Amino acid sequence: MDNAMTTTPFGRRPMSLAMLSNQKVAREAPKGARLNKWKLFHTVREARTALGASDRGLAILNALLTFYPENELCEETGFVVWPSNEQLIARANGISPATLRRHLAVLVECGLIIRRDSPNGKRFARKGRGGQVEQAYGFDLSPLVARAAEFEAMAARIAEERLALKCARERLTLLRRDIVKMIEAGLDEGVPGDWAKMSRVYRDIIDRLPRLPDLAIAEDICDALALLHEEVRETLEFHVNSQKINANESHAERHKQNSNPESQSESEYGLRNKSEASGSADETDNLHSLPKRELPLALVLDACEGFRDLAKGGSIRNWRDFLGIAEIARPMLGVSPSAWREAAEIMGDKQAAITLAAIYQRGEAVVSPGGYLRNLTERARDGQFSVWPMVMALLRARIEAGNATQTPPTDDDGTGEDGRDDGLTVSSALARSLKKPRS
């Protein structure tokens, strides 16, 4: 059966280079190939998105295949079928003639079929004396055989993308759930952290998410959420680890708090650099007499008054506020996140924050705050550092500086002429501890 002469379509339908290219592909179909027509149709259906075929077009292609007499498409039987429009409409579930013509044109444009139009545009077959078809005019199905490998590759790629999109959407759902619940846990448990900023970043990312994201957008959103997820998780884990270390240190403190009291006398200055210290080693000889308990917040704020300047309104009401100010002071001092994290893990979050406040109070006297903090952290790891002597030295230095400075005459109530309290009030017991003669 020779259809080489039927290259152009009948009537007013124009010829295009795409049609010519599709006909060339059809002529290159493998010789002797025999492919199951329904398996081919299933592959085309899976690849229809990449091909640009419509669902109505596939219904018409299915109807065309029912007119092919064999289950296998092969060159011996021929590839042309010649049903009338009425027959196609009946097997395509009764679509309208206009819809039929439109979607037949779509199948031709997609390269799934080729028109083999007769001189008068009718579809028919001419048979010889033996009953075999010698010439047929209608729709050529040979592109299905010629492009079978291409259709399989398209279908496989689409299946992979569909699976990847499904996995990306599942990952997206899990990331969203984890981030929201971890932020809520951080707020409910009072964990120090910039939760407002994390919530704002989360909302900005989600606002970029369309209702039906494709694979590229879903993966991009997942990558952004993964970074936020890691930050939120690390913030919570850092706090949990700090609590565990504090609990372990508190348990061990009951057994070793008086074992080597003299070791605290030199823990104040990790680098042994007098330019970074607020006093000499001799001035801390009486530190073993200080109470073995946590430092009161008020006492820390009296010694490290510079920390109040970092708070809004100069108000630090509790330890939670104090830890929040420490997060602000750390980058100002140039302390790296790793040094700060290590200090909190070894000392505990409160002790690390007090140490940072003391370093901030010393100002330019500490040449390298990050190195100084690392040194103190190493000493704390060996049990040779406590924040008590550090804070007491700063408090003593502030009291001595106040005594050495000439002050204007005061009223009987101890206030200056402007009514402002210029002195630092301490308890008698604490004053005796600070003024205790050196041994």
Side-chain angles (χ1 to χ4, degrees), residues 100-110 115:
L100 175 66
R101 289 191 296 268
R102 185 169 64 253
H103 289 285
L104 281 172
V106 171
L107 292 177
V108 173
E109 291 176 3
C110 294
R115 287 184 182 273

Side-chain angles (χ1 to χ4, degrees), residues 144-173:
L144 297 177
V145 177
R147 301 178 62 189
E150 179 185 353
F151 296 151
E152 289 181 1
M154 287 182 180
R157 184 172 67 253
I158 291 174
E160 291 176 0
E161 291 178 355
R162 187 184 298 116
L163 178 59
L165 179 59
K166 180 181 179 181
C167 294
R169 287 178 175 175
E170 291 176 353
R171 182 187 177 208
L172 183 62
T173 300

Side-chain angles (χ1 to χ4, degrees), residues 16-69:
S16 67
L17 294 179
M19 292 182 185
L20 192 64
S21 175
N22 291 335
Q23 292 175 11
K24 180 177 181 296
V25 171
R27 288 196 301 270
E28 295 174 353
K31 300 298 181 181
R34 304 176 66 91
L35 299 176
N36 186 285
K37 62 181 181 181
W38 299 120
K39 289 184 178 179
L40 278 175
F41 177 75
H42 176 75
T43 304
V44 171
R45 185 176 58 191
E46 293 295 319
R48 74 179 184 90
T49 304
L51 290 170
S54 61
D55 53 350
R56 290 291 185 88
L58 291 180
I60 295 171
L61 179 60
N62 180 78
L64 286 172
L65 289 172
T66 62
F67 289 100
Y68 193 82

Side-chain angles (χ1 to χ4, degrees), residues 265-279:
S265 64
E266 61 180 22
S267 63
E268 181 185 353
Y269 312 118
L271 297 181
R272 299 173 180 265
N273 189 338
K274 291 185 179 181
S275 64
E276 295 183 358
S278 60

Side-chain angles (χ1 to χ4, degrees), residues 192-206:
D194 196 346
W195 301 113
K197 177 183 176 183
M198 295 179 189
S199 299
R200 186 169 59 254
V201 171
Y202 171 76
R203 179 49 51 192
D204 292 342
I205 295 173
I206 295 303

Side-chain angles (χ1 to χ4, degrees), residues 1-3 5-6 124-127 132-137:
M1 189 165 44
D2 185 11
N3 291 316
M5 58 185 298
T6 58
F124 62 91
R126 183 178 294 114
K127 297 182 180 180
Q132 294 182 346
V133 176
E134 294 182 349
Q135 185 71 36
Y137 298 100

Side-chain angles (χ1 to χ4, degrees), residues 229-245:
H229 182 278
E230 182 179 2
E231 180 181 357
V232 175
R233 190 189 70 248
E234 286 184 352
T235 301
L236 294 177
E237 289 179 351
F238 173 70
H239 178 73
V240 171
N241 292 336
S242 299
Q243 295 292 338
K244 290 181 179 179
I245 292 174

Side-chain angles (χ1 to χ4, degrees), residues 84-333:
S84 65
N85 284 354
E86 290 76 10
Q87 291 173 320
L88 274 176
I89 289 173
R91 296 198 186 185
N93 303 320
I95 61 177
S96 66
T99 302
L100 175 66
R101 289 191 296 268
R102 185 169 64 253
H103 289 285
L104 281 172
V106 171
L107 292 177
V108 173
E109 291 176 3
C110 294
L112 295 175
I113 62 174
I114 297 175
R115 287 184 182 273
R116 301 295 187 187
D117 290 344
S118 65
N120 62 0
K122 301 296 183 178
R123 302 176 200 134
F124 62 91
R126 183 178 294 114
K127 297 182 180 180
R129 292 183 179 180
Q132 294 182 346
V133 176
E134 294 182 349
Q135 185 71 36
Y137 298 100
F139 299 105
D140 189 349
L141 303 177
S142 60
L144 297 177
V145 177
R147 301 178 62 189
E150 179 185 353
F151 296 151
E152 289 181 1
M154 287 182 180
R157 184 172 67 253
I158 291 174
E160 291 176 0
E161 291 178 355
R162 187 184 298 116
L163 178 59
L165 179 59
K166 180 181 179 181
C167 294
R169 287 178 175 175
E170 291 176 353
R171 182 187 177 208
L172 183 62
T173 300
L174 293 175
L175 286 171
R176 292 180 65 178
R177 184 184 71 191
D178 286 357
I179 291 173
V180 169
K181 291 194 174 184
M182 286 194 297
I183 290 178
E184 290 177 351
L187 291 172
D188 293 341
E189 299 290 340
V191 178
D194 196 346
W195 301 113
K197 177 183 176 183
M198 295 179 189
S199 299
R200 186 169 59 254
V201 171
Y202 171 76
R203 179 49 51 192
D204 292 342
I205 295 173
I206 295 303
D207 288 344
R208 292 158 40 198
L209 183 65
R211 184 172 178 272
L212 294 175
D214 58 18
L215 179 59
I217 295 178
E219 289 181 343
D220 180 61
I221 298 296
C222 282
D223 291 341
L225 288 177
L227 294 176
L228 179 61
H229 182 278
E230 182 179 2
E231 180 181 357
V232 175
R233 190 189 70 248
E234 286 184 352
T235 301
L236 294 177
E237 289 179 351
F238 173 70
H239 178 73
V240 171
N241 292 336
S242 299
Q243 295 292 338
K244 290 181 179 179
I245 292 174
N246 285 343
N248 293 337
E249 289 181 349
S250 176
H251 179 74
E253 185 82 10
R254 303 189 187 101
H255 302 283
K256 67 176 185 179
Q257 60 181 5
N258 294 322
S259 61
N260 189 10
E262 297 299 330
S263 64
Q264 295 181 351
S265 64
E266 61 180 22
S267 63
E268 181 185 353
Y269 312 118
L271 297 181
R272 299 173 180 265
N273 189 338
K274 291 185 179 181
S275 64
E276 295 183 358
S278 60
S280 64
D282 294 337
E283 293 175 336
T284 61
D285 286 343
N286 65 336
L287 293 179
H288 62 277
S289 63
L290 293 175
K292 306 301 180 182
R293 58 182 174 83
E294 286 191 359
L295 277 163
L297 178 60
L299 185 65
V300 175
L301 293 177
D302 283 339
C304 307
E305 57 179 345
F307 241 41
R308 295 181 186 271
D309 299 335
L310 300 179
K312 291 183 179 180
S315 174
I316 300 179
R317 297 168 297 179
N318 48 45
W319 282 112
R320 180 178 178 179
D321 293 345
F322 188 81
L323 294 175
I325 299 302
E327 293 290 343
I328 298 175
R330 180 195 63 75
M332 295 175 61
L333 292 172

